[in-house]
Amino acid sequence: MSGSLQERFSRISAFKPVRKREPVLPNQPENQPESNADCQANCQANCQDGLLARLGGQVGRNHYGEHLVYRQWYATPEMCEPSEEVLRLLLPPKCEGSERILRCAIDLEKWLFLDTETTGISGGTGTYAFLIGLAWWESGGLRVEQLFMRDHDEEHSILLEIANRLAERPVLVTFNGKSFDWPLLQNRFRMTRQIDVPELAAHLDFLHPARQLWRLQIGPTRLGDLERNVLGEESLGWSRREDIDSARIPEFYFDFLRTGAVDGISGVFQHNRMDLRGLAALGARIFRMLAEPEDARISPLEFYGMSQLLARRGQCSKARKLYERSLAAGLPGPVARKARHEAARLAKRERDFGRAIELWNELAGSIEPSVEALEQLALHYERRERDYNEAARITRSALGELRKASRLGLIGPERHAHLSQHLKKRLIRIQSKADRLKSLGRLL
């Protein structure tokens, strides 16, 4: 049998029903021999008691059964201060009932942070969320509650607790939760056929704004990378240096189910708590940056990231100011080139042609002249200045740069053919206008 197939059977067997723990009868003889099944049941009970002792948790109960609960309150990170203006950037644009959603989302008492630890990352009906981390702002700090499924028959119990928390706090806050955590939980709710999928008033997912703000600065935007390179371990008050390898989380859970090993699982609990606290700190940082974009502590690349986010949400004037701010602060070469392009487009949109011409001239006069900037300059001289000779000269220069880019393999054949045909048509039109103007001059 292949190793892969063995692993699949091992995972399936890990979820087989376990023998329930039976209370020890007071008059049971102490030296009575135990059956194998009794030994296994007692081992399971001791392992679970060991986990309770290690974590300092307790057993939670509802009418669906039991589960393990761990609760803790942290003074850090500090509470964020959401504003309507920033929420409009982070919530889906033009969604139905947007004003009602906004009124609910601005209330911090309605927020519920969520992060799950699962038996796999592929999703599907065989993937369980065995540890659900929840958190909310309370008494100026962060209250964390973790719900653990000691065996698969406790799933209904923890799902009911999640539904109850979301009824109280219907604004869900996640990191990649829109793509993974929440769809997985929705699927698990449906599979119970007893617990309705909770309705959310709003869903804030900080992965997407984090990518726009910091991808150029740090590359991969995993939560641990953001904590280390953006938020800062000293300001957070914890470090990921002793964190577990997240790829081993399913392995630790299966080991717990098979053998009761608690070392790996206690590391998973700690990892989940750091994720929740990191998520809360990240949300506060994003709100602070977007609410105070003129803060001198913001780096040039962060200004650039905010510009992109604002431009995509239609706030072009603010985006243009931040593009200019990022250029003035000093961007790396390739990013500065992109920022000039975007700032020029927005300047043209606002009919600030003087500034647009400056930016296009900077791009056209660089070591690698921009074909787009040359084309925009040609358009300007053709349509606004009526200087057809200059427009024709610039268009020929654009054609030359296009051929050079093609030779160097910087542009694909199809794209080159399309742009070349487009510029040649423009050149013919400009020359035709120049000839008509020359003929008119002779007549006069």
Side-chain angles (χ1 to χ4, degrees):
M1 185 184 295
S2 69
S4 176
L5 194 57
Q6 282 181 330
E7 183 181 356
R8 290 185 182 182
F9 279 119
S10 176
R11 291 190 174 199
I12 291 171
S13 66
F15 282 111
K16 67 183 180 181
V18 297
R19 180 184 291 269
K20 292 293 184 182
R21 288 175 290 174
E22 299 292 341
V24 178
L25 298 176
N27 58 354
Q28 183 178 3
E30 292 184 6
N31 297 324
Q32 180 178 342
E34 293 181 317
S35 66
N36 289 336
D38 290 335
C39 286
Q40 184 179 3
N42 287 335
C43 178
Q44 183 78 8
N46 292 335
C47 292
Q48 294 185 3
D49 290 341
L51 182 60
L52 280 170
R54 173 73 68 89
L55 295 174
Q58 62 189 64
V59 175
R61 296 179 177 87
N62 56 42
H63 67 267
Y64 281 116
E66 295 183 348
H67 56 276
L68 190 147
V69 186
Y70 174 85
R71 297 186 179 94
Q72 181 63 280
W73 182 88
Y74 297 96
T76 58
E78 296 179 356
M79 293 176 64
C80 68
E81 297 180 5
S83 68
E84 285 192 19
E85 186 177 6
V86 175
L87 279 169
R88 290 184 192 277
L89 293 173
L90 301 178
L91 291 169
K94 299 179 181 178
C95 57
E96 185 177 350
S98 57
E99 292 303 318
R100 174 181 53 81
I101 292 172
L102 188 65
R103 286 195 300 273
C104 190
I106 203 168
D107 183 358
L108 283 180
E109 292 188 359
K110 301 292 185 183
W111 284 28
L112 185 71
F113 297 96
L114 179 141
D115 183 64
T116 66
E117 309 303 336
T118 70
T119 57
I121 60 173
S122 59
T125 57
T127 302
Y128 286 78
F130 66 84
L131 175 62
I132 312 295
L134 306 172
W136 56 89
W137 299 115
E138 181 181 287
S139 304
L142 194 70
R143 170 69 64 183
V144 170
E145 180 179 68
Q146 293 171 290
L147 311 173
F148 180 66
M149 188 172 78
R150 298 171 295 178
D151 192 56
H152 73 290
D153 62 351
E154 295 186 346
E155 183 181 34
H156 282 47
S157 180
I158 65 171
L159 288 175
L160 180 61
E161 294 300 313
I162 297 167
N164 291 338
R165 299 297 177 276
L166 282 169
E168 301 168 357
R169 303 173 184 275
V171 178
L172 190 63
V173 185
T174 60
F175 189 83
N176 198 32
K178 283 190 176 180
S179 299
F180 182 74
D181 301 75
W182 185 236
L184 172 64
L185 288 176
Q186 286 178 308
N187 191 38
R188 302 312 303 178
F189 275 112
R190 293 189 186 101
M191 290 183 67
T192 67
R193 299 189 178 183
Q194 298 179 58
I195 309 172
D196 293 334
V197 179
E199 292 188 11
L200 304 181
H203 189 164
L204 291 170
D205 194 321
F206 289 129
L207 170 64
H208 308 292
R211 280 179 175 168
Q212 291 178 332
L213 292 171
W214 293 295
R215 181 171 49 195
L216 288 172
Q217 184 173 336
I218 68 171
T221 48
R222 294 184 294 268
L223 193 51
D225 297 318
L226 291 165
E227 289 176 11
R228 184 168 51 255
N229 300 311
V230 174
L231 301 175
E233 293 175 350
E234 290 186 6
S235 63
L236 289 175
W238 72 85
S239 167
R240 293 270 183 172
R241 284 188 289 273
E242 297 182 2
D243 192 13
I244 61 171
D245 179 1
S246 59
R248 297 188 64 192
I249 287 175
E251 173 193 335
F252 291 140
Y253 184 57
F254 293 129
D255 285 346
F256 170 78
L257 291 179
R258 285 190 293 263
T259 68
V262 299
D263 289 342
I265 281 296
S266 63
V268 174
F269 271 78
Q270 175 66 11
H271 172 85
N272 183 257
R273 288 194 292 273
M274 285 191 290
D275 278 350
L276 287 168
R277 297 177 70 191
L279 171 60
L282 179 67
R285 177 65 179 272
I286 289 173
F287 271 97
R288 188 164 56 249
M289 281 180 59
L290 294 175
E292 303 172 6
E294 300 300 322
D295 192 329
R297 292 170 294 181
I298 297 174
S299 72
L301 284 172
E302 286 175 327
F303 280 126
Y304 179 76
M306 285 193 290
S307 304
Q308 289 192 305
L309 193 152
L310 289 164
R312 288 173 182 172
R313 287 308 181 94
Q315 297 197 17
C316 297
S317 294
K318 291 182 179 179
R320 181 188 166 194
K321 288 179 182 177
L322 290 182
Y323 276 127
E324 296 283 8
R325 181 76 179 267
S326 67
L327 286 167
L331 288 170
V335 183
R337 185 181 177 89
K338 292 179 182 178
R340 284 189 176 88
H341 272 294
E342 296 300 329
R345 290 185 191 121
L346 294 176
K348 178 183 176 182
R349 180 190 178 102
E350 295 184 338
R351 305 188 70 79
D352 185 355
F353 298 115
R355 179 55 180 159
I357 293 294
E358 287 179 20
L359 291 165
W360 286 326
N361 276 321
E362 289 174 11
L363 289 163
S366 63
I367 298 173
E368 298 177 4
S370 163
V371 173
E372 180 187 342
L374 289 166
E375 183 182 11
Q376 290 295 328
L377 285 170
L379 270 171
H380 173 76
Y381 281 104
E382 176 193 355
R383 296 179 178 178
R384 294 185 185 86
E385 300 293 333
R386 310 279 185 184
D387 187 342
Y388 302 122
N389 291 330
E390 183 64 9
R393 184 192 67 77
I394 294 173
T395 305
R396 291 191 192 95
S397 178
L399 281 165
E401 291 300 325
L402 193 61
R403 286 191 292 271
K404 186 189 299 182
S406 180
R407 285 197 305 272
L408 295 173
L410 301 175
I411 188 171
E414 292 185 5
R415 180 68 175 160
H416 171 264
H418 172 74
L419 288 175
S420 181
Q421 184 181 15
H422 175 70
L423 288 171
K424 286 174 182 177
K425 285 183 178 179
R426 182 180 302 284
L427 183 58
I428 291 171
R429 186 180 69 239
I430 292 170
Q431 288 175 334
S432 176
K433 288 182 178 180
D435 292 341
R436 286 200 302 271
L437 186 62
K438 193 180 296 183
S439 298
L440 183 61
R442 286 197 212 96
L443 290 173
L444 295 174

